[in-house]
Amino acid sequence: MTDCDGAGAQTPLQLYESLTAQGDQVRVLKTAKADKGEIESAVQLLLKLKLEYKQATGQDYKAGCPPPENLTVPDNAPAAEGATNEDEVNPWSVTTNNAKGVDYDKLILRFGSSKIDKELVDRIEKVSGQKPHRFLRRGIFFSHRDMHQVLDSYEKHKSFYLYTGRGPSSEAMHMGHLIPFIFTKWLQDVFDIPLVVQLTDDEKYLWKDLSVDECHRFAVENAKDIIACGFDVNKTFIFSDLDYMGSSPQFYRNVVKIQKHVTFNQVKGIFGFTDSDCIGKISFPAIQAAPSFSNSFPHIFGDRKDIQCLIPCAIDQDPYFRMTRDVAPRIGYPKPALLHSTFFPALQGAQTKMSASDANSSIFLTDTPKQIKNKINKHAFSGGQDTVEEHRQLGGNAEVDVSFMYLTFFLEDDEQLEKIRQDYTSGALLTGELKKLLVETLQPMIATHQERRKQVTEELVKQFMTPRPLHFNF
Ligand code: TRP
């Protein structure tokens, strides 16, 4: 399987023209409110053409800017990419050779999800009546499954609930871990809906060299950081699998139903399990799938099994939910909808996601202002030039610059962010100055988080983690 550019390949100009035509076609279909499936396949084709264009020209397609006639494709253009160095994205590993990070458009094609386009962002704004979160405005949540259907129902006063989670592999959480929770908190606020948070201490026990007790303790510690994101205790249930699984007959019934409908062959295909993986791993996906069904939580939803679930998560979790969506109709449940985020890059660059085991690869939620400053100054990969003179002359490359990437995650003001991008690209803003802006953005954010976490008492954790009715009206 290669992205071959053999006989019959189009010239960059021909590709550009096909792209423009396809873009028009998508707009026509959308205006005509054509069948969703038809729009979806037109968008998929558009994305495919965009990728081909990028491979042929080494640059992104831009409407109204045809490729230069004397185009020379740079040596390191993605065109050189073969099947052997495809981005790898699965629940356990994320790697790419590209300094800009994973090619997310390609991932949408590979996973068969849909792009979160401007139309969907506008629709979320319209339905929720709120300015879209910066993660939506900036394509950090970039892919979805069935979000239009969730909004259709919501408009008809048929509500939904949120489900997200975390694998508690250590006490220390870093900034990247907060992305889904920050966004989920926003969704909970603007749609006013219940949320369940799964802490997969069982998963971490099965996969890591940790004791059951340690994993459970990490779950409770991580719950404090999650609570510090500001979730409403009246609308949120946080649970450790080790605790909840054994206490909830309804949850376990769903686990068993899912287990009966997925074969070993299927999980091998989806997750790459082999004959020597322990059987706990092989059956674990059923446990991550079960919270997608509302009757897994009778204390919240009674015996209703028809309440739609929306899962915000990083794209690497999608394999679990592809499996879940495949099983759902066969056991009489609605398929969960999904919103997928990109990865938060490591300080060293967007080639990998951060690792909780490398202290210098990320900013931890427990870092002091001084540690934050030092880590950024020392370790944040820079897209700037080697000397001030060169930088002034040539400008920096914001696309590969980790400090700039972090600002796109955390700086709220769109105009300020765009100005920073322009100034950095032109050379007016130096790397040191860019880093200073980032330090000044992160220090107060982390300090606030630490302050809020301190206020989270054992009593409050217990409240969040006790199965009980939640407040919502639907
Ligand atoms: N497997 C996830 C992890 O290791 C944890 C998780 C469980 C999760 N359920 C989820 C993440 C739902 C997102 C959405 O982090």
Side-chain angles (χ1 to χ4, degrees):
M1 190 188 70
T2 55
D3 297 316
C4 76
D5 50 0
Q10 301 189 63
T11 66
L13 187 62
Q14 283 168 334
L15 263 173
Y16 172 82
E17 281 164 358
S18 317
L19 256 167
T20 310
Q22 188 61 24
D24 290 343
Q25 169 72 2
V26 168
R27 264 188 300 282
V28 168
L29 288 173
K30 282 186 177 171
T31 324
K33 298 223 178 325
D35 175 66
K36 266 190 209 125
E38 208 180 329
I39 298 180
E40 211 81 293
S41 43
V43 172
Q44 292 271 338
L45 179 58
L46 183 68
L47 284 173
K48 196 162 158 270
L49 287 168
K50 280 190 181 171
L51 283 171
E52 278 174 32
Y53 184 81
K54 201 167 170 181
Q55 292 188 337
T57 64
Q59 60 196 40
D60 287 316
Y61 165 79
K62 242 199 185 145
C65 303
E69 274 170 39
N70 55 353
L71 182 89
T72 48
V73 181
D75 287 347
N76 60 352
E81 226 180 41
T84 45
N85 54 5
E86 281 239 308
D87 297 341
E88 179 180 306
V89 176
N90 64 51
W92 304 282
S93 159
V94 177
T95 51
T96 170
N97 293 324
N98 189 336
K100 292 182 201 164
V102 171
D103 190 328
Y104 291 105
D105 280 345
K106 220 173 184 174
L107 221 52
I108 288 179
L109 284 177
R110 230 166 75 203
F111 284 10
S113 59
S114 308
K115 195 177 169 93
I116 297 185
D117 53 11
K118 173 130 189 348
E119 191 204 351
L120 180 55
V121 176
D122 288 348
R123 226 188 134 200
I124 294 174
E125 173 163 19
K126 195 173 138 253
V127 176
S128 70
Q130 304 282 330
K131 180 175 176 178
H133 194 273
R134 61 178 185 277
F135 292 171
L136 284 171
R137 304 199 300 269
R138 299 183 191 153
I140 287 169
F141 273 78
F142 72 104
S143 154
H144 76 103
R145 296 182 190 274
D146 283 347
M147 191 58 198
H148 278 291
Q149 178 230 307
V150 168
L151 295 172
D152 289 345
S153 305
Y154 189 80
E155 281 180 320
K156 293 182 195 131
H157 307 288
K158 210 172 154 237
S159 208
F160 59 99
Y161 74 100
L162 296 163
Y163 158 40
T164 190
R166 150 147 185 90
S169 49
S170 87
E171 212 166 314
M173 284 176 66
H174 56 57
M175 304 213 45
H177 293 139
L178 286 191
I179 307 300
F181 294 104
I182 293 172
F183 188 59
T184 303
K185 147 88 177 133
W186 181 81
L187 289 168
Q188 176 176 65
D189 287 349
V190 305
F191 289 106
D192 189 24
I193 42 175
L195 159 70
V196 297
V197 179
Q198 178 180 47
L199 299 172
T200 52
D201 38 13
D202 52 349
E203 174 192 16
K204 293 301 148 183
Y205 170 68
L206 290 166
W207 260 270
K208 307 254 166 179
D209 186 18
L210 295 166
S211 73
V212 176
D213 284 341
E214 277 169 319
C215 294
H216 184 261
R217 192 172 64 79
F218 294 156
V220 176
E221 285 309 306
N222 289 181
K224 294 178 188 166
D225 282 300
I226 293 168
I227 292 168
C229 292
F231 291 105
D232 182 344
V233 67
N234 295 312
K235 297 192 181 113
T236 308
F237 174 48
I238 303 179
F239 62 99
S240 126
D241 281 344
L242 290 171
D243 289 337
Y244 187 60
M245 271 276 282
S247 80
S248 172
Q250 292 309 324
F251 190 92
Y252 188 55
R253 280 174 190 222
N254 278 339
V255 169
V256 172
K257 282 189 196 174
I258 299 158
Q259 285 173 342
K260 181 163 173 168
H261 290 83
V262 183
T263 65
F264 183 32
N265 239 325
Q266 284 170 315
V267 287
K268 269 202 251 188
I270 302 172
F271 300 98
F273 295 144
T274 68
D275 288 357
S276 45
D277 277 307
C278 72
I279 60 174
K281 286 188 187 179
I282 291 154
S283 58
F284 172 76
I287 300 171
Q288 181 153 335
S292 315
F293 306 129
S294 57
N295 61 354
S296 292
F297 304 99
H299 53 279
I300 307 175
F301 302 114
D303 58 6
R304 283 188 64 178
K305 56 176 192 179
D306 63 328
I307 304 172
Q308 165 100 63
C309 173
L310 173 66
I311 308 172
C313 63
I315 187 81
D316 62 337
Q317 297 298 306
D318 188 67
Y320 287 110
F321 302 118
R322 282 204 295 270
M323 184 199 89
T324 310
R325 287 169 54 87
D326 180 60
V327 173
R330 292 189 280 133
I331 55 177
Y333 297 148
K335 293 180 179 189
L338 287 139
L339 291 171
H340 299 124
S341 74
T342 61
F343 304 113
F344 190 67
L347 279 170
Q348 284 74 9
Q351 277 95 336
T352 64
K353 73 172 181 176
M354 297 191 301
S355 141
S357 47
D358 177 358
N360 285 328
S361 76
S362 39
I363 313 272
F364 284 88
L365 300 178
T366 47
D367 283 349
T368 62
K370 210 168 143 204
Q371 283 172 315
I372 295 172
K373 187 169 157 208
N374 285 341
K375 278 190 191 175
I376 291 169
N377 285 338
K378 258 204 212 140
H379 300 290
F381 181 79
S382 168
Q385 305 296 339
D386 291 341
T387 65
V388 173
E389 292 69 39
E390 272 177 16
H391 190 87
R392 293 276 186 229
Q393 204 188 351
L394 303 168
N397 181 356
E399 270 190 278
V400 300
D401 191 286
V402 171
S403 302
F404 184 76
M405 290 183 203
Y406 280 22
L407 282 171
T408 62
F409 279 83
F410 296 113
L411 189 72
E412 177 58 28
D413 188 328
D414 290 341
E415 275 171 36
Q416 197 190 349
L417 184 70
E418 177 53 21
K419 173 127 184 21
I420 292 171
R421 197 187 61 75
Q422 285 175 8
D423 288 351
Y424 193 59
T425 310
S426 75
L429 188 74
L430 299 173
T431 295
E433 293 164 334
L434 176 68
K435 289 192 170 190
K436 187 156 172 282
L437 285 167
L438 177 63
V439 171
E440 285 165 1
T441 308
L442 293 189
Q443 281 174 338
M445 254 190 63
I446 302 260
T448 309
H449 180 87
Q450 291 169 357
E451 203 40 55
R452 288 215 219 110
R453 192 188 194 278
K454 248 195 258 158
Q455 324 247 307
V456 178
T457 58
E458 298 297 331
E459 185 48 41
L460 187 60
V461 177
K462 213 165 147 201
Q463 234 179 313
F464 269 98
M465 299 188 72
T466 302
R468 68 208 134 58
L470 298 181
H471 297 210
F472 58 92
N473 37 17
F474 48 83

